[in-house]
Amino acid sequence: MAAAASSWISSSASTFLCPPAALIRHADPPPRATGLRSISGRPFLFGVRIPRSRWNRAINSLASDQKLKPPVSDEGVTMVEDPFVPDSSSIASSIKYHMEFTPSFSPDDSNLPKTYFATAESVRDMLIINWNATYDYYEKMNAKQAYYLSMEFLQGRALLNAVGNLELSGAYAEALTKLGYDLEAVAQQEPDAALGNGGLGRLASCFLDSLATLNYPAWGYGLRYKYGLFKQLITKDGQEEVAENWLELGNPWEIVRNDVSYPVKFYGKVITRPDGVKEWVGGEDIKAVAYDVPIPGYKTKTTINLRLWSTKIGTEELDLNAFNAGQHGKAYEALTNAEKICYVLYPGDESREGKILRLKQQYTLCSASLQDIIARFERRSGDHINWEQFPEKVAVQMNDTHPTLCIPELLRILIDIKGLGWNEAWNITQRTVAYTNHTVLPEALEKWSLGLIQELLPRHVEIIQSIDEELMQTIISEYGTEDLDLLQQKLKQMRIVDNVELPSSVSDLLVKAEDTDTDEQTEEAIISGTEDDELAEEEEPEEEESTEEESSTEEESTEEESTAGTTEVTFEPDPKLPKVIRMANLCVVGGHAVNGVAEIHSEIVKKDVFNDFYELWPEKFQNKTNGVTPRRWIRFCNPALSEVITKWTGSEDWILDTEKLSILEKFADNTDLQFEWREAKRQNKMKVAALIREKTGYVVSPDAMFDVQVKRIHEYKRQLLNIMGIVYRYKKMKEMSAEERKEKFVPRVCIFGGKAFATYVQAKRIVKFITDVGVTVNHDPEIGDLLKVVFVPDYNVSVAEVLIPGSELSQHISTAGMEASGTSNMKFAMNGCVLIGTLDGANVEIRQQVGEDNFFLFGARADEIAGLRLERSQGMFVPDARFEEVKAYIRSGVFGSYNYDELMGSLEGNEGYGRADYFLVGYDFPSYLECQEKVDEAYHDQKRWTRMSILNTAGSYKFSSDRTIHQYARDIWRIEPAVLP
């Protein structure tokens, strides 16, 4: 091995290369971390000798136990000089080093996968220097830090993004060329990290990029899914799912922190100790272990952290006696139960076991993350911990309802473990936590079975019931007891624990005088008495368990009815309905801020979804329109167009200040710009054509319009509307002569992509239908290149990075009022793609920004949807003849022998589950066809189309995630940038 090493060392400019693995230090060090003593005497980095004085200054800030004192600023903060920027020769030496000394492959081989790992490890070395310096600085400054909790982080590939943010793309390309490799070919060896599915996870990843780029102190927290959601295969039967294998060869970007683990408990029981403190005992105990991933900012030393949790058990939990007795399943039962928590993203929850597993995932994320956050707060606080300062140092953002259990978990830790009282802990929790709502779909506003949570998390149910009781007291205080119908309505809509009996402290208040002559003094006396009861209830929280007793309310009712002139209103639960905990309501009550993710969505949140809460706490509700990072989503994925933008805007400033994109507007009619713009688009279309051939075998013409709809398959996103429009187009083509077709229609390649959830039968039928249409159309010699239909399998970030730059028309056609925001619409617009869509989500704002003439609009508006559904239920809807024509054509068998009656049946009838066209495909179909005719007309005029494309990019500046993060930081988290010295 030494001989092998010397063969390449002698050819480099250095005499020794410091093992970069030694640079790896705990990103969040314990008080007695030993730091970097082992390498303090080796002044070499990336194969180049560095003066000892400079080396010491660079690494001193990374070590927590130093013999040499580094220079400090006036504030007492360790100074870090600008990091050494390597050239291509030193990078090549570093890559060779990793091939030899940190191999994941056989030493006999030198291939692309091995080269990718060595290259990634080389980049990671540089990230670690900035990463450690960033958190040394945060530790010493003790700045307020934001923590973003999300069940998904859809990162995509990391290599090109990292070298791009480090401004080393050219150096790495040159280094790999010297070694006989191509950077893009090496980068393609990296599998997409299978940590997310759709927009929720992609948004979270954009936010991390912006947080690092803008120098905000922040971490991300998620779960390390071993098998992801699933890898999608497209077969003759439609979609099939197999496990992702992204971790099969390891992940060079992550660093396991075996010294950072926290206990997580399930099941058990709650006891009250002699001192009155509640304690959660017994049950099933697992460990959550940290895996850290560095997230670099663009043109900054700031490198923040994404901490992912994996689950396991202690070695002592292995039942060795059972194993040696041949009972291997029993021996590994505890290990299997722990590890499977982080196997799959969104495991199927049709079964009870599936529901338990999902709930375990959510609680693991919340519990481990909060324990970590609290440990950091205590360490930074030193010997004098002031819990009142916790919200001044910590901001926790819940990305949708999945991390809702943060609220009762934070309360549990503060009360049961840290010894705070209820009022103090509740105040701290509400000031710390905030909630982002991402949906108006009822099924996505999570409701968990009360019995299931009671079994799995008994202490948390007690805490949630206390929160619910406090909420009811607030509602009664706000609305009084005079109008019991109104009060009943408010409690029904706003309660957290739904369809359960009222606690006695609340039911005592709901007494209405039958005698209309009862004077106000009597009424005030009743209310005053119950307020005393309320205070007593707060002082004796152990009595909260009585809220589950059904008999007590009935007994009290009988007693009250026997008194003169009064009747108790019991607000009895409905025995036919389940008892559930409404997680979204808990989020609203438990946090200090609730935000929607687009202007129209935020208005729907205030007026419909949480209207009762908005009336009670209007100051909580905000809008934070989503955004996407311009680094990954235009600069790195679309270098051809980026070069054009830089030339015409005069600099690369637009990458950090997207408002500079608006400069393009004044050149939109310039023939030189239009020519360069079309050339860049054509280059990208050639890449799309190559991708389609590789993934599907279909050959498509880059001269056709590329019409793209890529997103999660769901009925409300209406891929069905799109494909039915294509079927209509195909049918009309078949009815024409070749000359008529060519004159009438613009050649199109209609591209679909996206995953249907494994148990979502109707969505999988839509995938099957799209692929069947594609098989028929693509093999029709009469149609040729006039129409192609392609479903790209296993859509992910890397596929999007090819499809989006090469698209010309993008479809965002959800039923109005049902898409919270969308982020792919922003990516398409930013890359000069023209949108066709409804007034839904961020479409509304995109249309305002790019100009109404540069957006193809159709369909019913959000405020019309409820009325249209009512008309349908009353049998008043008359379908368009073209819609009926398409359904009949589909049923004729022209697209194969598969029976599409269930799919077409969902668009028929006036009522019933899975019927009556709930998503208004039939209603919007005529205006959709007419809008598509306008698309063809515009595309025929390439000068006009190119102008529209340029203006979409120019107007997309608002939709940078940098703008969104600035708003979160200012309005919700109240954090300030912390720029490393």
Side-chain angles (χ1 to χ4, degrees):
M1 187 173 187
S6 65
S7 67
W8 63 262
I9 291 176
S10 61
S11 65
S12 74
S14 78
T15 56
F16 184 77
L17 180 67
C18 164
L23 290 170
I24 300 173
R25 184 176 59 80
H26 195 300
D28 192 16
R32 297 186 181 181
T34 56
L36 299 174
R37 287 180 176 176
S38 61
I39 66 166
S40 60
R42 294 178 174 176
F44 297 88
L45 182 64
F46 291 96
V48 176
R49 183 183 296 275
I50 303 172
R52 184 177 300 276
S53 59
R54 183 177 177 189
W55 174 260
N56 285 337
R57 286 197 299 272
I59 67 169
N60 270 335
S61 66
L62 309 182
S64 58
D65 184 13
Q66 304 289 340
K67 291 185 177 180
L68 299 174
K69 292 188 180 279
V72 296
S73 68
D74 293 339
E75 294 82 12
V77 176
T78 301
M79 301 293 290
V80 183
E81 288 193 359
D82 288 341
F84 171 70
V85 179
D87 60 16
S88 60
S89 295
S90 59
I91 288 171
S93 294
S94 177
I95 293 170
K96 287 180 180 179
Y97 172 86
H98 282 291
M99 283 184 174
E100 187 71 29
F101 292 107
T102 56
S104 300
F105 298 84
S106 167
D108 301 329
D109 269 346
S110 181
N111 52 31
L112 276 173
K114 182 175 182 178
T115 305
Y116 156 67
F117 266 78
T119 304
E121 286 158 347
S122 167
V123 176
R124 191 185 70 178
D125 293 342
M126 279 181 284
L127 296 184
I128 287 170
I129 295 172
N130 288 341
W131 192 22
N132 288 336
T134 300
Y135 283 97
D136 274 348
Y137 185 61
Y138 291 172
E139 287 284 312
K140 290 161 187 170
M141 293 298 291
N142 194 15
K144 183 175 183 179
Q145 194 162 320
Y147 298 96
Y148 198 82
L149 272 64
S150 178
M151 289 295 286
E152 298 185 40
F153 285 93
L154 197 56
Q155 292 288 95
R157 291 170 174 160
L159 179 57
L160 293 181
N161 192 75
V163 297
N165 277 0
L166 290 168
E167 299 182 90
L168 290 174
S169 299
Y172 266 88
E174 186 177 340
L176 285 165
T177 299
K178 291 179 179 180
L179 297 174
Y181 296 99
D182 174 72
L183 175 58
E184 284 200 18
V186 170
Q188 287 174 8
Q189 302 305 305
E190 180 179 1
D192 276 39
L195 299 172
N197 176 36
L200 187 78
R202 190 52 241 163
L203 178 76
S205 295
C206 284
F207 280 4
L208 292 185
D209 179 88
S210 287
L211 283 164
T213 298
L214 300 174
N215 301 297
Y216 283 113
W219 285 45
Y221 280 107
L223 296 181
R224 181 180 180 267
Y225 303 106
K226 186 173 182 179
Y227 302 113
L229 183 72
F230 58 80
K231 180 177 286 187
Q232 181 192 54
L233 305 179
I234 299 297
T235 70
K236 61 182 179 61
D237 298 316
Q239 172 182 295
E240 293 185 8
E241 305 88 24
V242 298
E244 285 272 11
N245 61 351
W246 75 288
L247 289 174
E248 194 170 72
L249 297 178
N251 178 9
W253 301 104
E254 68 182 13
I255 298 174
V256 59
R257 305 295 190 187
N258 287 312
D259 57 332
V260 181
S261 66
Y262 296 97
V264 179
K265 182 185 290 293
F266 306 107
Y267 303 109
K269 63 180 180 179
V270 180
I271 62 172
T272 303
R273 299 200 313 244
D275 59 1
V277 175
K278 296 290 185 75
E279 185 177 0
W280 184 15
V281 299
E284 173 187 311
D285 295 297
I286 66 165
K287 289 182 179 179
V289 181
Y291 285 73
D292 286 350
V293 180
I295 308 294
Y298 178 70
K299 288 190 175 183
T300 176
K301 288 182 284 187
T302 299
T303 301
I304 66 172
N305 195 37
L306 170 58
R307 177 158 284 179
L308 304 171
W309 301 107
S310 187
T311 45
K312 67 176 187 178
I313 59 169
T315 307
E316 67 278 3
E317 296 294 330
L318 175 66
D319 190 341
L320 198 57
N321 290 330
F323 187 88
N324 289 328
Q327 298 174 326
H328 301 150
K330 179 182 177 183
Y332 276 102
E333 184 177 6
L335 178 63
T336 302
N337 285 338
E339 289 185 344
K340 72 181 181 182
I341 292 172
C342 292
Y343 273 176
V344 175
L345 169 65
Y346 301 141
D349 59 356
E350 299 296 311
S351 65
R352 186 175 187 276
E353 291 75 14
K355 290 180 174 67
I356 289 173
L357 189 56
R358 278 213 191 188
L359 193 56
K360 281 185 172 183
Q361 287 184 335
Q362 295 185 4
Y363 179 61
T364 297
L365 170 64
C366 295
S367 181
S369 302
L370 282 171
Q371 289 182 72
D372 197 43
I373 291 166
I374 288 170
R376 189 170 304 109
F377 169 76
E378 290 179 319
R379 185 181 64 252
R380 291 180 181 179
S381 298
D383 296 331
H384 305 288
I385 299 173
N386 179 0
W387 288 105
E388 183 63 24
Q389 287 295 306
F390 187 77
E392 305 304 319
K393 297 296 182 182
V394 171
V396 174
Q397 189 70 34
M398 301 182 296
N399 192 28
D400 216 351
T401 54
H402 306 127
T404 304
L405 290 168
C406 279
I407 295 167
E409 176 67 359
L410 181 54
L411 282 163
R412 182 189 72 84
I413 294 172
L414 292 176
I415 295 170
D416 296 356
I417 298 175
K418 304 303 177 183
L420 276 63
W422 170 268
N423 289 338
E424 185 181 6
W426 182 228
N427 177 267
I428 290 169
T429 299
Q430 287 187 301
R431 290 163 55 205
T432 301
V433 176
Y435 161 54
T436 299
N437 173 272
H438 283 281
T439 184
V440 299
L441 297 178
E443 66 268 23
L445 294 172
E446 291 183 292
K447 297 179 182 179
W448 283 101
S449 162
L450 175 61
L452 187 65
I453 298 187
Q454 178 80 58
E455 177 186 354
L456 199 68
L457 305 169
R459 177 61 177 136
H460 297 75
V461 168
E462 291 184 351
I463 292 170
I464 291 169
Q465 287 172 334
S466 296
I467 298 171
D468 189 46
E469 186 171 346
E470 189 153 311
L471 170 64
M472 288 187 282
Q473 300 281 5
T474 301
I475 294 169
I476 293 171
S477 174
E478 177 71 18
Y479 294 102
T481 57
E482 291 81 7
D483 188 343
L484 289 186
D485 289 335
L486 173 64
L487 191 57
Q488 184 179 37
Q489 176 190 340
K490 293 293 181 182
L491 291 176
K492 183 177 178 61
Q493 293 295 324
M494 299 175 72
R495 284 197 66 181
I496 298 166
V497 187
D498 187 34
N499 201 42
V500 299
E501 299 80 3
L502 298 177
S504 59
S505 65
V506 174
S507 60
D508 287 347
L509 298 176
L510 304 180
V511 178
K512 183 176 182 181
E514 288 183 344
D515 187 352
T516 56
D517 294 329
T518 302
D519 59 32
E520 292 182 2
Q521 288 183 340
T522 304
E523 192 170 299
E524 290 173 2
I526 293 172
I527 296 173
S528 175
T530 55
E531 287 174 348
D532 292 338
D533 291 343
E534 176 185 348
L535 294 173
E537 184 70 12
E538 289 180 356
E539 292 171 358
E540 301 181 64
E542 62 270 17
E543 294 180 5
E544 290 164 6
E545 295 176 2
S546 66
T547 59
E548 291 297 318
E549 297 175 5
E550 299 183 8
S551 58
S552 61
T553 308
E554 295 172 3
E555 291 170 3
E556 291 169 10
S557 176
T558 303
E559 291 174 7
E560 291 293 342
E561 286 172 1
S562 66
T563 63
T566 62
T567 301
E568 183 179 8
V569 180
T570 59
F571 291 68
E572 291 289 343
D574 187 339
K576 298 178 182 178
L577 298 176
K579 299 179 180 181
V580 297
I581 293 178
R582 298 191 281 200
M583 307 302 267
N585 287 16
L586 179 55
C587 286
V588 176
V589 176
H592 66 88
V594 179
N595 72 277
V597 290
E599 289 175 2
I600 186 175
H601 169 240
S602 295
E603 289 304 307
I604 292 171
V605 164
K606 292 190 291 187
K607 293 178 181 178
D608 297 323
V609 182
F610 298 126
N611 179 251
D612 295 291
F613 290 105
Y614 175 66
E615 290 180 351
L616 185 61
W617 298 309
E619 69 282 357
K620 280 193 179 189
F621 290 81
Q622 304 183 21
N623 174 60
K624 297 288 174 280
T625 298
N626 284 343
V628 300
T629 167
R631 271 75 63 184
R632 180 181 288 270
W633 289 111
I634 183 165
R635 174 63 185 87
F636 302 148
C637 76
N638 198 344
L641 189 64
S642 295
E643 186 177 333
V644 175
I645 293 170
T646 297
K647 173 184 175 181
W648 287 85
T649 60
S651 72
E652 286 195 334
D653 291 352
W654 61 270
I655 303 170
L656 287 170
D657 180 8
T658 52
E659 287 196 16
K660 301 286 187 184
L661 292 173
S662 63
I663 295 171
L664 294 169
E665 185 176 352
K666 64 184 178 183
F667 301 115
D669 292 307
N670 185 287
T671 55
D672 292 335
L673 173 58
Q674 289 205 354
F675 174 77
E676 293 173 19
W677 200 268
R678 283 193 293 269
E679 283 300 301
K681 182 64 73 173
R682 185 171 180 82
Q683 288 181 39
N684 291 323
K685 290 175 71 176
M686 295 292 287
K687 292 179 180 179
V688 173
L691 176 77
I692 289 172
R693 186 166 190 171
E694 174 194 343
K695 297 284 187 181
T696 70
Y698 290 132
V699 177
V700 300
S701 169
D703 295 324
M705 177 201 295
F706 281 13
D707 173 353
V708 181
Q709 187 181 19
V710 284
K711 51 186 75 240
R712 179 167 52 96
I713 309 297
H714 197 291
E715 289 169 278
Y716 89 84
K717 293 179 183 287
R718 299 204 295 192
Q719 286 91 352
L720 185 55
L721 174 61
N722 186 352
I723 191 62
M724 290 182 75
I726 292 168
V727 168
Y728 179 80
R729 188 181 190 88
Y730 176 66
K731 185 175 185 297
K732 295 297 114 179
M733 284 182 175
K734 294 291 287 181
E735 295 169 356
M736 295 178 181
S737 67
E739 292 76 16
E740 288 172 329
R741 286 186 211 115
K742 189 173 181 180
E743 184 177 346
K744 171 74 173 175
F745 295 104
V746 166
R748 284 206 202 192
V749 179
C750 301
I751 303 168
F752 293 84
K755 295 179 180 180
F757 191 66
T759 58
Y760 190 174
V761 176
Q762 193 73 321
K764 294 178 79 170
R765 287 190 184 118
I766 292 170
V767 173
K768 167 66 174 166
F769 181 41
I770 293 168
T771 57
D772 281 352
V773 172
V775 168
T776 299
V777 172
N778 298 344
H779 292 92
D780 190 329
E782 292 184 359
I783 302 304
D785 287 339
L786 265 182
L787 183 62
K788 298 291 184 185
V789 180
V790 177
F791 193 103
V792 179
D794 204 36
Y795 178 68
N796 57 21
V797 173
S798 296
V799 173
E801 288 172 340
V802 178
L803 286 181
I804 291 174
S807 63
E808 294 172 286
L809 179 73
S810 182
Q811 307 218 21
H812 302 272
I813 57 178
S814 52
T815 310
M818 302 200 75
E819 184 74 84
S821 170
T823 52
S824 67
N825 46 7
M826 302 171 184
K827 297 164 194 166
F828 281 103
M830 200 172 276
N831 281 273
C833 180
V834 183
L835 273 56
I836 179 173
T838 54
L839 284 179
D840 196 25
N843 284 0
V844 177
E845 293 162 76
I846 291 173
R847 183 169 176 260
Q848 291 169 351
Q849 290 293 122
V850 305
E852 295 180 4
D853 293 339
N854 305 305
F855 183 105
F856 293 102
L857 177 68
F858 76 96
R861 297 173 183 265
D863 58 4
E864 299 173 322
I865 301 299
L868 291 170
R869 286 175 179 152
L870 179 62
E871 288 180 9
R872 180 78 183 229
S873 69
Q874 295 171 343
M876 298 170 62
F877 173 68
V878 178
D880 186 87
R882 291 167 291 183
F883 187 62
E884 295 300 291
E885 180 184 349
V886 168
K887 288 192 298 176
Y889 193 56
I890 293 167
R891 283 179 163 135
S892 71
V894 69
F895 300 113
S897 59
Y898 187 86
N899 188 339
Y900 283 108
D901 281 344
E902 287 289 338
L903 187 59
M904 295 298 102
S906 69
L907 307 174
E908 298 170 340
N910 297 323
E911 58 184 0
Y913 179 76
R915 304 273 297 174
D917 193 11
Y918 184 78
F919 300 100
L920 277 70
V921 174
Y923 181 86
D924 279 349
F925 191 72
S927 63
Y928 178 69
L929 294 183
E930 290 154 15
C931 196
Q932 287 285 11
E933 291 178 1
K934 294 177 183 177
V935 170
D936 278 3
E937 179 186 343
Y939 196 79
H940 271 299
D941 183 350
Q942 277 295 291
K943 184 175 181 180
R944 175 189 170 193
W945 187 272
T946 306
R947 183 179 190 276
M948 294 173 72
S949 175
I950 294 168
L951 291 174
N952 266 266
T953 299
S956 69
Y957 66 84
K958 173 183 176 179
F959 304 103
S960 167
S961 51
D962 294 352
R963 184 263 314 153
T964 314
I965 285 300
H966 275 312
Q967 292 176 345
Y968 273 98
R970 180 192 66 211
D971 301 336
I972 297 179
W973 304 331
R974 297 181 178 88
I975 60 174
E976 297 291 335
V979 182
L980 271 68

